[in-house]
Amino acid sequence: MNAQIARCVDIIQSEIADSSADIQAPKVAIILGSGLGPFADALETVAEISYSELPGFPEPGVGGHAGRLLLAKSVKGENMDGATFVVLQGRAHYYEKGEADVMAVPIHTLAAIGCETLVLTNAAGSLLTEAGPGAVMLITDHINMTGVSPLFGETGNQRFVNMGDAYEPFLNQQFLSIAEKQNIELHQGVYAWMSGPQFETNAEIRALRTLGSDAVGMSTVPEVILAKHQGMKVAALSIITNYAAGMSETPLSHEQTIDKAALATKSVKTLLTHFLKEYQA
Ligand code: HPA
């Protein structure tokens, strides 16, 4: 473990030890994407640590991302006996500095404190006519369109990570059954990772459709690769904020991403809350 990660682990573990709450080591971590701040506000936290206090954690550079690690024991108003979990509010992206491993320290830290499952959320454009702004899509697989990997420079055989069934089928099943019970329409599909920060051209979207993509975005995939490299189980949800380029009259913008993400906050909050309540690894 490198020194930065060891220091981050120390800081988090001493927050757990200092908190008066009787909590266990967290097993689940959630990374919140654009527009999911309201979920963070609904948590009963036992500690909140700014990324600036955690060496190697990035300063998120995009509006809608706060940059805090939250240790939580419940969602307000819910009874979650003994479930401690970590929420990373805010991420950094490859397109900010051209570093695909910008989330390596946070993810290594989560694995080192004992998180065995990582649930990622993001905002994405939809290639599915049936999933418009405000829809939620369970990511069942991804296509890495960037040609880069957060594992560039790693050595040893562990770097040859098995990415078959990267999105854990039994966790997906759990989300689908929660969605059914809670009457939430949960789409499923393949997420294509584009580097950004520019949105796609219409031709790029046609190409992505031909390749088998159902949604497109600029995040998540490097974190999934890092988490799999650390032996974590992964699930991911996309909030659809727009139809992909060429599919609607509305020009794409980041403002639209932030605005439309709010349409799905309630469903995502319900999905995450029940997932945490029922979590069994
Ligand atoms: N493309 C890429 N990233 C996105 C989009 C999109 O259409 N919407 C939200 N994030």
Side-chain angles (χ1 to χ4, degrees):
M1 194 187 303
N2 81 23
Q4 278 185 326
I5 297 161
R7 180 78 193 112
C8 292
V9 171
D10 265 2
I11 293 170
I12 295 166
Q13 281 176 342
S14 54
E15 287 282 352
I16 294 177
D18 291 352
S19 75
S20 45
D22 178 21
I23 55 171
Q24 296 151 8
K27 289 196 168 158
V28 185
I30 299 174
I31 299 185
L32 295 180
S34 298
L36 275 172
F39 180 72
D41 299 335
L43 298 175
E44 244 175 80
T45 56
V46 289
E48 303 188 3
I49 311 170
S50 161
Y51 286 1
S52 59
E53 293 170 45
L54 296 165
F57 272 57
E59 258 322 301
V62 183
H65 291 266
R68 286 187 304 172
L69 182 150
L70 310 172
L71 278 163
K73 63 180 168 72
S74 185
V75 177
K76 284 175 191 156
E78 301 286 339
N79 184 9
M80 290 191 181
D81 271 351
T84 309
F85 51 95
V86 180
V87 173
L88 296 193
Q89 191 183 8
R91 57 156 58 92
H93 305 79
Y94 172 53
Y95 61 72
E96 290 169 46
K97 293 187 181 158
E99 294 163 2
D101 64 349
V102 60
M103 290 297 284
V105 169
I107 295 203
H108 285 229
T109 300
L110 294 174
I113 61 171
C115 292
E116 56 196 12
T117 293
L118 180 62
V119 180
L120 300 120
T121 64
N122 64 31
S126 173
L127 280 77
L128 301 173
T129 44
E130 68 272 25
V136 185
M137 189 188 94
L138 179 71
I139 301 181
T140 53
D141 209 342
H142 75 227
I143 304 176
N144 177 355
M145 293 300 296
T146 66
V148 300
S149 168
L151 304 181
F152 284 169
E154 288 287 336
T155 55
N157 285 351
Q158 205 195 337
R159 74 186 127 162
F160 302 109
V161 181
N162 173 21
M163 294 296 291
D165 281 339
Y167 299 81
E168 203 71 32
F170 85 90
L171 295 179
N172 291 347
Q173 220 34 64
Q174 245 164 291
F175 275 112
L176 289 167
S177 97
I178 292 166
E180 196 181 334
K181 281 190 213 131
Q182 299 300 319
N183 242 333
I184 292 169
E185 189 176 12
L186 183 56
H187 299 270
Q188 300 181 61
V190 174
Y191 174 90
W193 176 34
M194 296 289 274
S195 73
Q198 73 287 350
F199 286 108
E200 298 71 35
T201 63
N202 299 3
E204 283 167 341
I205 293 302
R206 288 195 301 274
L208 290 180
R209 181 174 295 109
T210 302
L211 292 174
S213 318
D214 302 303
V216 57
M218 308 174 192
S219 69
T220 306
V221 167
E223 294 145 48
V224 170
I225 297 168
L226 287 162
K228 296 306 289 179
H229 183 236
Q230 292 305 301
M232 299 172 89
K233 300 181 186 85
V234 167
L237 296 168
S238 282
I239 289 187
I240 301 300
T241 53
N242 55 280
Y243 282 115
M247 291 177 67
S248 93
E249 298 295 308
T250 322
L252 303 188
S253 70
H254 185 62
E255 290 66 34
Q256 183 194 29
T257 301
I258 300 298
D259 274 6
K260 300 293 178 192
L263 293 175
T265 311
K266 189 159 168 265
S267 323
V268 174
K269 182 182 164 200
T270 305
L271 290 169
L272 292 176
T273 301
H274 286 269
F275 179 82
L276 290 163
K277 269 175 125 165
E278 293 169 20
Y279 181 81
Q280 294 157 3

